[in-house]
Amino acid sequence: MTVLPDPAATRAVLIGTSRYAHLERIPAVANNLSALAAALCAPRSWGLAPVHCTVIEDPTTAVEVLEAVRTAAEEATDTLLVYFAGHGLVEPRRGELFLGLTGSIPHRSYTGLPYGTLRDVVLDGRAARQVMLLDCCFSGRVLGFMSAAGAEAVISQVEIEGTYLLASVPDTSFALAPPGEPHTAFTGELLRLLREGVPGGPEFLDLDTVYAQVYAALRAKGRPLPQKRDRNTAGGLALTRNAAWIPPGFGPPPPPYDAAPVPEPAPRPYRHEPARTPPPPPPPYEPPLVPAPSADGHEPAPEPTRPSAVPPRPTWSPVALPSSAPAPSPNGVSPGRRRAVRYGLAGALFVALVAAGIPLATSWMKDDGSPEDRSGRQQSESSGTPAPGPIAGYDAAAKDVVNASKKKGGTLKFVSGSDADSWDPQRTYFGSIWNFSRYYARQLVTYAPKPGEKGTELVGDLAEKTAEVTDSGKTYTYTLRDGITWEDGTEITSKDIKYGIERIWATDPISGGPTYLQQVLDPGHTYKGPYKDTAKDKLGLKAIRTPDDKTIVFELPKPNGDFERMLAMPAGSPVKRDKDTGSKYQNKPFSSGPYRFGSYTPGKSLELIRNDKWNQSSDPVRTALPDRITVNFEDNAEVRAQALFSGTYDLDLTSTGLTDAALAQARNSRDLRARLDNPYTGGLLFAAFPRSVEPLQNLHCRKAVIYAADMENLRTAAGGTQSGAIAPHMLPPTIAGSDSSYDPYEKLDNNGKPDTAKAKQELAACGESNGFTTTIAVRNTRPAELAVAESLQSSLGKVGIDARIEQIDGNDYYETVGSPATVEKEGYGIVISRWLPDFPTGQGFLQPLVDSRFISQSANINLGELDDPTVDDLFDKAIAEQDPAKAEKDYRAANRRVSESAAYLPILFQKSTVWRGSRLTNVYASEPYGGLYDYVSLGVAT
């Protein structure tokens, strides 16, 4: 009878190298480790205790690995599993396989871990069964000499009597670390099989079954195919319990394993390779004899190397021969341990070729089924009718309302990794808290409760409608609604609104929060705030008048077309003067909204309860469906992720609740994937070229960097298609003035590939035909940004630009790169950064990055040090404009001028991945709040 290993007597050692000093980086390896560890520790898989699963990420020495493996080998008496992912090195004379470590050097195999030594340590252990999984490369593309015959020699080395060998040694036409996917291709399919199982298959999946299913899945996607060699009956070893197994008589059979939730299109052609349409997947034991013709009539690129033996039929097939693993001895170890292990071994070795690294990776089509326009904005395929159920499919809430409902009741449950920066509406600068604070803080105007672009419209909130604007855009007058009340039932007046806004000036005893209103209303900062106000009513700010309790008037020194968007921030909320407790106000703000503070324990939990003095008739924005809203703070990321999956919480407050491993788990599960949304954040990932650093003060040298950049590989390094869309210019699609047709450096036309010919032309034009040397500055606390820097470094090297990477401590990063003097002294010619808007216009997003008046000697935001009077004038014109369409025209012109200056390399219009709990109703992503769900519209199914 096929059984799983005894978890108490089983050990696993998972080894992976994703970062290399001298080889190309493989970011997916880190994801492989965490996901495989989670799979092995899952109760329905092996059920290993976490302490029995050792993870070694980015090892630096062979001893570090071998000691961990020896310890596990001595402890395990049932099964020992050893996994490695990373680069493989081959010793050219003897053909010996070495596993890549962080310091491994090409052509110097002695800098790696000898496979033979690792194998000996494994075989010297006490376990009756050993499983070895290797997902590594030893391709000719990496080493420059490896032939098919040489690959066969390496494969032969790792064969042992009783082993089960799967090896992928095709040519390097296609990468096995596909862009946009969290795992290497082979391990990704293996993980998917472990999680989803084989519908219609047996209760336990043995190695022959695993091989057949992984082979079929890879073939269906047109990816390199594994090769199999086995000895004796090793193929009958149970690797996992079948997650899709249904006992006889329990309902109809589910769809077959290879019926993926979303059809996966063929890979994009690499560079000038003709596009290929892969044939329909045949049964895994019948590989095609003739490659399919290409879509355009050209000869197709070579097929991946065919395995030496055809894949086996699944073991439950009527024509399959029965197979079982050798039984261990009663003690767990047979007499004559080394020899018995060799000839009684039920082990497995999976070898799969990983691409040479990010710059060599081939682009693959998106797998979410959603088309994008040229600017990357996804186009909705919905009819516009809200989905009837709580789960409407992947990315549904990024396009439309999911599970529309007016039903009240229940508790809406948030979880968060940290407490708010402040619950005081004037003092918070976290976007998620801006969103959440609308439960208890209202403003004169706010954003419309609508999905997508419609949500950027301003509507009246405490005010009856948006402002009456007079005096050429300098005077804004509002009339307040009837029935607006505080939580004690008293009326909210214009003076309460003025007092709340005045608190922005009070940097003592409170501090923090945005200062836009202060800058626009009192640019000279002549007012000192209400706590130092000598007026009896503490309402001495002259720029705001309150003729009566229902009217409030703002008088600006000069017009600003975005003024109402500044009022829509929480900083524009009213505060009742006799309830203002200064620095303690953040512990219990006095509510003007549908909920008020209940219990609050900083760092642990927060409860909002209904404000029974709030009038629905006075609030056209908030639906106030839940009876109660809770937030629990949990700093353990894995605990948060699993609690979201289990339904303990409905959503994450900051949208960062899923770890990389949890995201990978969700994307590889049909049920979990259907609850993910992938909205735009409104943010931009970019590289700045400071003008003070030679030779990048030269326009043509900057353009050389832009043309040389491989945008698709930069996106892969950042996290794949889910991390964002390739940015051809500086204005994300959610920002007014963005132009989807504008592609000045033909990044979209070239499918993100570099134009090395133009890069070299620009190098010649700037007098650096042989390239130049520069430094890329990047913070060390953001692995994705470091990966982007490494990818850019590789791209630039191909045109002769030698870019050294300097990692700067994240706590000091913006202080360092925000000092032009330091940037010039250290030679930071390229600075990696990202930027999010405070409000979705050119002023709120682009101006701080490119207006010369934002250059400062410290805390500099204009990292490119762009000093262009034309750009500055365009902003002055756009900001003074009251007609949004005319302002957008000026912002569009400013964006073009900035692009022509080549001051920045825009990389990605960023996206986030958000978890949508199954109980949520009225769910849709809100563009003004960085793609988070519109919190005040949410309800829960009860």
Side-chain angles (χ1 to χ4, degrees):
M1 178 180 177
T2 303
V3 295
L4 289 172
D6 175 8
T10 294
R11 300 291 185 269
V13 182
L14 311 182
I15 311 150
T17 312
S18 60
R19 301 176 185 278
Y20 293 87
H22 308 287
L23 295 168
E24 300 294 349
R25 188 176 182 274
I26 312 174
V29 166
N31 295 336
N32 288 2
L33 294 177
S34 55
L36 187 57
L40 293 174
C41 294
R44 287 190 55 80
S45 181
W46 280 16
L48 283 182
V51 70
H52 294 161
C53 184
T54 302
V55 177
I56 305 174
E57 186 172 352
D58 295 333
T60 58
T61 66
V63 172
E64 176 185 357
V65 176
L66 295 172
E67 282 299 316
V69 174
R70 180 173 295 280
T71 298
E74 292 173 349
E75 294 176 352
T77 56
D78 185 317
T79 302
L80 170 64
L81 180 146
V82 177
Y83 168 91
F84 173 82
H87 281 301
L89 307 173
V90 178
E91 200 286 321
R93 293 182 178 85
R94 296 181 297 277
E96 295 175 356
L97 175 64
F98 285 71
L99 308 181
L101 307 176
T102 55
S104 292
I105 301 173
H107 306 288
R108 300 179 189 177
S109 53
Y110 57 84
T111 59
L113 166 63
Y115 169 75
T117 304
L118 175 64
R119 176 191 58 197
D120 290 345
V121 172
V122 169
L123 294 178
D124 281 337
R126 302 170 58 204
R129 300 182 288 190
Q130 289 103 341
V131 179
M132 294 196 67
L133 313 176
L134 273 75
D135 188 345
C136 66
C137 61
F138 43 85
S139 74
R141 190 72 168 264
V142 175
L143 299 177
F145 75 94
M146 191 74 178
S147 65
E152 282 290 312
V154 174
I155 295 171
S156 298
Q157 288 176 42
V158 296
E159 276 194 279
I160 312 169
E161 289 291 336
T163 64
Y164 190 92
L165 171 64
L166 287 177
S168 177
V169 286
D171 60 28
T172 57
S173 296
F174 294 99
L176 275 188
E181 296 185 16
H183 306 290
T184 56
F186 185 85
T187 298
E189 293 301 336
L190 178 62
L191 288 166
R192 180 182 173 193
L193 183 61
L194 293 176
R195 292 183 182 125
E196 297 187 12
V198 180
E203 181 178 4
F204 298 99
L205 302 182
D206 60 32
L207 291 168
D208 280 340
T209 300
V210 169
Y211 168 51
Q213 292 297 328
V214 171
Y215 182 101
L218 289 170
R219 176 172 199 135
K221 296 180 178 180
R223 294 179 178 178
L225 303 175
Q227 299 188 44
K228 177 181 80 76
R229 293 185 184 182
D230 57 348
R231 297 292 179 93
N232 301 330
T233 57
L237 171 66
L239 184 62
T240 184
R241 179 181 281 109
N242 185 2
W245 180 68
I246 299 176
F250 283 79
Y257 164 74
D258 58 4
V262 180
E264 180 120 11
R268 290 178 186 165
Y270 177 73
R271 296 182 181 271
H272 303 293
E273 180 185 341
R276 298 194 304 150
T277 303
Y285 47 85
E286 293 180 3
L289 300 178
V290 181
S294 66
D296 60 1
H298 295 287
E299 287 296 317
E303 285 280 302
T305 303
R306 179 174 297 182
S308 58
V310 295
R313 293 178 174 87
T315 54
W316 68 90
S317 168
V319 297
L321 296 175
S323 175
S324 60
S329 69
N331 304 343
V333 182
S334 303
R337 183 176 63 206
R338 179 67 178 264
R339 185 164 182 238
V341 167
R342 280 184 178 276
Y343 290 93
L345 182 68
L349 173 62
F350 296 92
V351 182
L353 174 65
V354 176
I358 294 171
L360 298 178
T362 301
S363 301
W364 297 80
M365 297 292 281
K366 302 175 186 66
D367 62 357
D368 59 12
S370 302
E372 293 182 341
D373 67 16
R374 284 172 54 87
S375 191
R377 183 187 290 275
Q378 287 187 341
Q379 302 300 299
S380 174
E381 296 179 352
S382 166
S383 64
T385 303
I391 303 172
Y394 177 78
D395 212 24
K399 308 164 189 172
D400 222 329
V401 180
V402 172
N403 198 25
S405 173
K406 297 180 181 179
K407 187 175 181 180
K408 291 181 178 286
T411 299
L412 176 61
K413 301 175 183 178
F414 288 86
V415 68
S416 179
S418 61
D419 208 333
D421 58 334
S422 177
W423 299 107
D424 184 333
Q426 269 78 39
R427 294 308 170 198
T428 177
Y429 220 140
F430 286 4
S432 57
I433 308 304
W434 285 13
N435 193 355
F436 186 87
S437 69
R438 295 182 300 146
Y439 284 129
Y440 57 87
R442 299 177 64 181
Q443 298 82 41
L444 284 167
V445 292
T446 191
Y447 291 100
K450 300 175 183 178
E453 293 178 88
K454 295 178 181 178
T456 61
E457 174 192 358
L458 287 173
V459 296
D461 187 356
L462 290 172
E464 293 178 342
K465 59 183 181 179
T466 55
E468 177 186 353
V469 183
T470 57
D471 191 21
S472 301
K474 292 192 290 185
T475 301
Y476 288 71
T477 303
Y478 297 91
T479 300
L480 305 191
R481 293 182 186 276
D482 294 331
I484 52 176
T485 57
W486 290 106
E487 65 175 78
D488 61 1
T490 58
E491 182 183 22
I492 297 172
T493 70
S494 58
K495 294 178 176 60
D496 295 329
I497 297 171
K498 178 177 181 178
Y499 180 82
I501 293 173
E502 284 182 337
R503 294 176 80 244
I504 298 171
W505 278 254
T507 56
D508 182 20
I510 57 179
S511 61
T515 59
Y516 288 101
L517 290 173
Q518 185 255 8
Q519 293 165 0
V520 171
L521 292 170
D522 180 25
H525 204 168
T526 58
Y527 183 61
K528 302 304 178 184
Y531 305 141
K532 297 180 180 180
D533 197 330
T534 57
K536 183 177 181 180
D537 58 4
K538 305 299 181 183
L539 298 174
L541 178 61
K542 295 180 180 179
I544 305 177
R545 293 189 295 107
T546 54
D548 55 59
D549 285 349
K550 301 282 286 184
T551 306
I552 185 167
V553 182
F554 298 87
E555 296 176 338
L556 283 61
K558 60 182 180 180
N560 192 308
D562 289 330
F563 178 67
E564 288 198 279
R565 297 189 183 276
M566 300 171 188
L567 286 174
M569 295 178 179
S573 304
V575 172
K576 194 172 186 180
R577 180 185 162 196
D578 62 5
K579 298 295 182 181
D580 183 8
T581 55
S583 61
K584 296 181 180 180
Y585 191 70
Q586 66 172 341
N587 294 325
K588 195 172 183 179
F590 202 61
S591 176
S592 57
Y595 298 92
R596 60 185 177 88
F597 269 55
S599 60
Y600 172 48
T601 303
K604 291 189 176 180
S605 63
L606 168 67
E607 176 191 41
L608 299 184
I609 57 179
R610 284 196 182 276
N611 173 13
D612 58 6
K613 303 302 182 182
W614 171 79
N615 300 312
Q616 177 74 75
S617 60
S618 75
D619 193 338
V621 174
R622 297 160 184 81
T623 56
L625 296 180
D627 288 334
R628 182 169 164 263
I629 299 167
T630 61
V631 185
N632 281 359
F633 305 111
E634 171 56 64
D635 59 4
N636 187 306
E638 288 296 339
V639 171
R640 288 201 310 275
Q642 295 308 314
L644 288 167
F645 287 165
S646 69
T648 302
Y649 302 109
D650 298 305
L651 72 165
D652 183 85
L653 181 65
T654 64
S655 82
T656 59
L658 299 185
T659 61
D660 289 343
L663 280 174
Q665 178 183 350
R667 287 169 180 152
N668 285 291
S669 164
R670 299 182 191 208
D671 290 340
L672 298 181
R673 176 181 165 84
R675 300 181 189 180
L676 295 178
D677 292 301
N678 193 208
Y680 282 100
T681 66
L684 176 72
L685 177 67
F686 63 86
F689 308 134
R691 294 292 184 89
S692 58
V693 180
E694 295 182 354
L696 290 163
Q697 82 280 14
N698 186 291
L699 171 66
H700 296 288
C701 283
R702 298 194 298 272
K703 286 186 175 182
V705 173
I706 294 174
Y707 280 121
D710 188 325
M711 304 304 294
E712 190 58 65
N713 282 337
L714 288 170
R715 174 159 69 169
T716 298
T721 55
Q722 292 85 5
S723 65
I726 292 173
H729 54 75
M730 293 290 287
L731 279 180
T734 58
I735 306 298
S738 182
D739 183 356
S740 62
S741 67
Y742 185 50
D743 185 14
Y745 297 96
E746 300 178 330
K747 292 298 185 181
L748 300 182
D749 288 343
N750 291 334
N751 295 318
K753 293 301 175 185
D755 190 331
T756 55
K758 286 187 177 179
K760 291 178 179 179
Q761 290 175 7
E762 295 293 343
L763 284 173
C766 76
E768 301 285 352
S769 297
N770 296 322
F772 55 85
T773 299
T774 191
T775 298
I776 302 175
V778 62
R779 52 182 159 178
N780 63 3
T781 51
R782 294 288 183 96
E785 292 179 16
L786 178 57
V788 165
E790 291 171 345
S791 176
L792 182 59
Q793 177 189 47
S794 179
S795 295
L796 298 182
K798 294 176 182 178
V799 296
I801 300 174
D802 181 11
R804 182 182 68 89
I805 294 175
E806 180 159 333
Q807 299 182 41
I808 301 172
D809 186 272
N811 295 324
D812 302 326
Y813 188 65
Y814 284 106
E815 179 182 353
T816 302
V817 300
S819 167
T822 300
V823 167
E824 182 178 8
K825 177 182 176 182
E826 300 296 333
Y828 298 148
I830 302 174
V831 177
I832 305 294
S833 188
R834 62 180 70 200
W835 186 252
L836 284 162
D838 287 333
F839 46 90
T841 70
Q843 179 182 191
F845 179 83
L846 188 58
Q847 188 185 21
L849 296 176
V850 300
D851 191 316
S852 67
R853 292 162 291 190
F854 282 76
I855 298 175
S856 60
Q857 295 310 304
S858 62
N860 177 44
I861 300 174
N862 183 343
L863 296 176
E865 301 172 20
L866 180 60
D867 185 358
D868 185 343
T870 299
V871 171
D872 299 352
D873 290 344
L874 284 168
F875 280 111
D876 288 344
K877 184 180 177 183
I879 290 168
E881 183 58 64
Q882 295 301 302
D883 183 342
K886 292 181 179 179
E888 287 183 24
K889 183 179 179 181
D890 292 326
Y891 289 135
R892 191 175 298 117
N895 183 33
R896 288 176 178 264
R897 181 78 177 185
V898 171
S899 295
E900 291 166 3
S901 75
Y904 292 88
L905 167 65
I907 298 172
L908 284 185
F909 295 146
Q910 292 190 293
K911 291 183 177 183
S912 63
T913 303
V914 190
W915 172 258
R916 178 188 350 118
S918 61
R919 301 193 314 142
L920 292 177
T921 63
N922 294 327
V923 195
Y924 58 88
S926 177
E927 287 193 2
Y929 295 100
L932 297 173
Y933 301 133
D934 189 354
Y935 290 163
V936 297
S937 295
L938 294 175
V940 289
T942 56

